[in-house]
Amino acid sequence: MGALSIRLKELRMEHGWSQETVARKLNLTLRTYCRYEVEGAEPKMTALVKMADIYNVSMDYLAGRTDDPYFEAR
């Protein structure tokens, strides 16, 4: 699994949310969201931004570019 799919699943579980709950928060179908967690599809930029927002983490963290969830590039 890639960093994004792993992080999405970890963050969802840390929040105690179901895949259906996250899909609703992102305004996606359950099938689409599930595919992100198993690397069956790559999210569009707008979805990535929403994911970072609902989990309050950086997009670099979601992408696996840093292990610091609150990373800010300088």
Side-chain angles (χ1 to χ4, degrees):
M1 290 179 104
L4 177 63
S5 60
I6 291 168
R7 296 243 162 108
L8 288 177
K9 186 173 183 177
E10 287 174 349
L11 288 164
R12 178 178 59 78
M13 294 178 81
E14 285 174 16
H15 282 77
W17 294 338
S18 67
Q19 289 177 324
E20 186 176 357
T21 298
V22 176
R24 228 177 309 128
K25 288 178 178 289
L26 296 172
N27 199 29
L28 299 169
T29 65
L30 176 58
R31 180 181 171 133
T32 298
Y33 179 77
C34 289
R35 290 179 68 209
Y36 296 158
E37 281 196 14
V38 297
E39 288 189 288
E42 289 189 14
K44 293 183 179 182
M45 182 64 71
T46 54
L48 283 170
V49 170
K50 286 181 185 179
M51 290 172 192
D53 287 346
I54 68 165
Y55 290 122
N56 194 32
V57 297
S58 71
M59 289 178 50
D60 282 323
Y61 177 76
L62 286 177
R65 292 177 43 140
T66 180
D67 290 329
D68 178 359
Y70 311 108
F71 174 78
E72 290 186 29
R74 294 188 174 103

